[in-house]
Amino acid sequence: MENRGQKRMEVVEEPPADKRACNLQDSFRPSTSAGGSSVQAQANGSGDADMDTSSSASPSSRTSDGEPDREVEEEDSDYGSCDDDDSDDAADPRRRVLQQYQRGRSSGDLVKLKSLMSRLSEENDPSLQLTGLTELCEVLSFCTEDSLSGVMADVLSRVLVKLAKDESSGDIMLLAIRAITYLCDVYPRSVAFLVKHETVPALCQRLFTIEYLDVAEQCLQALEKISRDQPVACLNAGAIMAVLSFIDFFSTSIQRVAVSTVVNICRKLPSELPSSVMDAVPVLCNLLQYEDRQLVESVAICLTKIADQVSQSPAMLDQLCSHGLIHQSAHLLNLNSRTTLSQPVYNGVIGLLRKLSSGSTLAFRTLYELNIGYRLKEIISTYDISHSVSSTQTINPCSNQVHEVLKLVIELLPASPEEGNSLALEKESFLVDQPNLLQQFGADMLPVMIQVIKSGASVYVSYGCLSAIHKLTCLSKSGDLVELLSNANISSVLAGILSRKDHHVVVVALQIAEVLLEKSRDAFLNSFIKEGVFFAIAALLNHDRGQQKPVSGFVQGSVPKEIVKCLCQSFEGSVSSSSQTCKIGNDSVHILATRIKERFFGPEVFDSQKGLTDVLQNLKNLSVELNDLMTVPINARVLHGEKFISIWNQIMERMNGRESVSTFEFTESGVVKALANYLSNGLYERKLGKGDLECDSLPLVGNRFEVFTRLLWSDGEATSSVLIQKLQNSLSSLESYPVVLNQFLKQRNTFAAVPSRRCINYPVLRVRFAKAEGETCLRDYSQDFVTVDPLCSFGAVEQYMLSKVHLEPLNSVKAKNQAIECQSSQLQSTSISCQGESSSHMEIDSPNTSQLEGSQEEKDQDRLTDSGEEKSSSSDGEDVRPRLLFRLEGLELDPSLTVYQAILLHKLKSSNETTNDSKLSGHHTITYERAPQLAESHENLFPLGSMDNDEYHPFLSYLFAHRLGLRHKGTSPPTYAILFLLKSLEGMNRFLFHLICHERINAFGEGRLESLDDLRVQVRPVPYAEFVSSKLTEKLEQQLRDSFAVSTCGLPSWFNDLMDSCPFLFSFEVKSKYFRLAAFGSQQQVHHQPQHLSGSNGHGEGRSVSGSLPRKKFLACREKILESAAKMMELHGTQKVAIEVEYSEEVGTGLGPTLEFYTLVSRAFQNPDLGMWRCDRCSLAGKPMEGPGSLVPPSGLFPRPWSTTSATFPGVLQKFVLLGTVVAKALQDGRVLDIPFSKTFYKLILGQELSSLDIHFVDPELCKTLVELQALARRRKVISESQSDVRAAKCDLSFRGTKIEDLCLEFSLPGYRDYVLAPQFANDMVNLDNLEEYVKAVVNATVCNGIQKQVEAFRSGFNKVFPIEHLKIFNEEELETLLCGERDLFNMNEVLDHIKFDHGYTSSSPPVENLLGILHEFDKELQQAFLQFVTGCPRLPPGGLASLNPKLTIVRKHGSDSSEADLPSVMTCANYLKLPPYSSKEKMKEKLIYAITEGQGSFHLS
């Protein structure tokens, strides 16, 4: 299929030999229409829901929709136009020679054309006419528009039309019509002359009475070209029926030409349709059953245009429907339809059904009888809701599908009929007579619409769903309504909507509540109270009357031609001229809420105490008890524990009781905040620094979390899962993080004076910088407004302003360097860097921004200790911070943001309205003042590598070092407490083994456990997916799809804050997209399409993510693979280029050899001779070696401890530096490695701290022994502290019946006797007195000091490519998937969905079925070998087979006469397997195993 703007190519079917007089000339004609390619390209490229289309351009200057023009402009801007400067000709004499040649040729063609025209006008001999027409076709094939004039085209048109009417000779007619076709191409203005000389009726006549098939085909070609410029003339001449009458006789390519003609005509249909158009409808409806996608899409466009013209005539709409249009259109919506439409056309078909049902009772009735609700439910449930937001692209085919579905749903639910509206009365009467159809429709649509609202959809989509639900409730009977909503939890949905700030959705929610109470008060009253609907209504009444304002200029994802100015107008069938005025008054919310209160509730319901449910009251009392527990002295640990266990058991008993606890009751009770306060001992709302007095209570905090962990996992994972789900529901209910979406604006050149005086191609902000009142140390800048680059950081603005307002000039080098470094530091603090230079004003979804508010002191403290590793931007270690503070309307602007971001977020904070264009494009006054000298920076509370702290150190480090941004606390403490508890639970789940082990060790030490066997821990963590918030993930998906906001740092602050502090809230897929944008910028941004409407995978994380990067080739040597890797990294490791590998003396290059290179490097790093990894204890565990020199430990690779004095150590460090660089480069280029790191090593990569219990994931046996020895040391310590002889006598301090001294343990590291464990104990034996020091020394050597230099070397090599900090958003399992791909290779249930069969094979071919059966029988090793044989890599990328790019393709191999002897062959660059058709499954398995085992290790042509 051609793209818009490309030259049209003609597909001409070969005629019969006896009738094709001049087939030689066919090869001379490259540029006639392919029949609908232009229409198809337009249909695929347009974002208009009604599928408006125009034909593509001719070779002249004519264009379609302006897009080819834009391409030309871009080319001219990049390379310069040849017409810009006369010096171009002088610089390029070849161009001048070519122009002279073209002018000479045009003159020659003109002479030839005049001669031929004269001969054809005067000649009557058929043979001479035939010769003349042949020559004319040849000349027209190659001449240009300059060769013709208007006069000549007029005369030539008259002559050709006359010859085309000559029925005596089919060859003359054929050539004359062909010449007409060529004439239209070479001289588009000739179309008017052809119409004047009645060419169209003549061509139509040939089509009505077909004598020669090739003549008819040429007539269709000519009519298609004429219809582009003269559609009305073609319509009046009856061309529609002429091209459709015998369409079944033609080939598919010619059928496309015929339908393209109809499309062109339908573009200019008159208001009153001639009968010929309606006569064509049966034929068009029949064509919808065809399988050719291009043909069906063109027909759909025609029918949509026809429906548009008759939309005001119910009779004509009924006539349209009477020909089966509804049935055929509904069939096209089936996701399993044989004809898969492009998305714009698919959306247009939904719009067509809406238009038909709007004006036709027949269509309305037919859609219900076809159970259209089921198909619409399928569309929405399989469609990514995040596609329903607007995009930066003017053509965004993904933006209108939910829009069209909701409009159709609303149209199928008629409002109360007005007097005299017979159509509405008929529809309502039909639904009254057929209540089962309405009930079925509601049962299909209601759950999915509620799910859409819950999933974080935009206000626009939410409003559409609520409008449909409101209509459904109005139409349904009371009993049916209760049944429909029995499992929908509509009360919780309404409570969430009523807390939002948008006027429109609140009004619709109140209307729904009123209808439900009016129809069935008894059924909904209690649930409304329990879920907080009435409390939300009471809160609305407490607000100032009319405080909320309707949102204007807001609609997202709307159809471009329907510019709706107000949300309440957005889902109406037609946009009236008054659509700019809002239908909802300022007092609507207050009036409606008051009416509900007076009609349905007595005073007792709104009483703050009487209105509480028993569950809520009970939970409130328990939260008070939990808060009171904080007053108990800290040293009464046992009392604390007993009371807390009692209170928590009561809370869980209530939550698991017969009467469920609603989300509202859970959040309103205060249990969340009380629990967070108790567990953290009040520290969760504070920012801690080393040396703070509060740090003394951290061991107590660790003990409380240990007790809480034991309580939650005492019955498996059930209790913890219940609490996690409650917190997730509460977060979804309370959060209102805004999604910042841009509204497309045309680029324009502007000049920005601040900060660098340069021209930019996007709008500027006008700002006046004024000195703050009381500021005496700075001078005034200017009283005038200046233009500011909106995409520059405040660091850059500060650098610019310092030189202007500072009383002491920046004359020292140090001061200047500090200013520059300050700017750099501020730029780095933005998680996703600016990559683009286009800007626009933005629209905000979910304008409630209470989570974004907070005091500036908290923000400052946030920046001081943001994460575990503080960066210093100054080389001499001095603290360089902004020396100016900027404020807008008294509120401080965040210096880490761009000017655009800061002003945008300020507008959100200061207003309940959605920010619109005028607010950002106006004038802004920003005050500046000196920044206060802050106290010395808080050191990191938990420095990496410190092993001397208490046993809770790793968990508390994870929990508190990456603190939640306190800006989230602001005026919404419940949300902050929820986030803290979720983070705590995720940390407890992550450190579950550690916390339970510590609890067992303490219990053994205190004598509560007798045997060492009781220390064994078997716990099952909660699945990671339970911590993922689907609503926040959807919001982040929406945000990431806005490439403008991503590339210009126009992201809301919650985006980066939550990703830094609570990345577990987001799915792995969306974190992967975020990671690529943050680490590599928008250069590697992946564009996404809905999977069910496109052939691309849904993950966007295939192997070709580096497609937009420049490429470099590298020649590698298989025999010296690590040396080649070192050389490659030295040359290209630090460059943003994608590396493609080829091997010496081999012909293969591209993706396959590159993937195999990374696989070979991975294997080479596993060589035990390198001395990088622990391997001594692995060899005791079974099978340590795999293949020659490849180490595969059971628990994965982990660095072996080395003494820094060893002579081998420097070489080992160099290997780790190289490994880090290779790993980072593989991530940057989107390559998959095959290197099995241990979970513990991944924790080190992520910068996490290790403890003795992390050895469990490196060497389980060693860890088990160390835990037992640690428990014995703990018991001895407890005994010595108690000073009780009785207790000492009762406690056993032996190691499984043997005294510690009798174990004969030396002070050396097990397995590494050359490693000096502790010099002071070098000659001592281990005994009870030094047992604790021995355990600490072994742990320190194994996971801390013994490997610290190796980890630092790895991280330094990694940082050469991109900062390793970007990986911190992943956990260990996710990082392994990101780096090494999927563990599960083939899901046999999904294989057929992700493999392409071609060139002789289908999914049902016997060889294909045999191959799939063989793959299913293969073990994991053979599956990996097969995968490496086909793709070059033994692992699949993240996302599995669906993400493999290119798609795995299996084709039939045509080789020798005996296919039994042939071997399978591959093209790894295309993931292409050539499989001979073996006679049996056994023979195929034999040949396949031979090929994948013997055919590895080289790339040659197959």
Side-chain angles (χ1 to χ4, degrees), residues 404-456:
E404 290 297 335
V405 169
L406 291 176
K407 289 180 74 174
L408 175 57
V409 171
I410 291 172
E411 196 60 58
L412 289 171
L413 297 169
S416 300
E418 300 175 359
E419 185 176 351
N421 190 339
S422 58
L423 187 63
L425 287 171
E426 291 178 11
K427 292 180 179 180
E428 187 180 45
S429 175
F430 169 75
L431 293 178
V432 170
D433 296 338
Q434 301 285 341
N436 57 321
L437 293 179
L438 179 63
Q439 183 76 357
Q440 182 60 47
F441 184 80
D444 287 332
M445 293 305 305
L446 186 64
V448 73
M449 288 191 295
I450 288 178
Q451 184 59 38
V452 166
I453 296 172
K454 287 182 176 180
S455 67

Side-chain angles (χ1 to χ4, degrees), residues 745-766 786-791 837-841 921:
L745 291 177
K746 291 184 179 180
Q747 294 184 347
R748 62 175 185 267
N749 293 326
T750 55
F751 177 77
V754 179
S756 55
R757 299 186 62 83
R758 67 187 185 98
C759 291
I760 55 178
N761 60 350
Y762 44 85
V764 295
L765 293 173
R766 297 191 174 274
V786 295
T787 56
V788 178
D789 183 351
L791 303 186
E837 286 193 353
S838 61
S839 178
S840 72
H841 301 305
S921 59

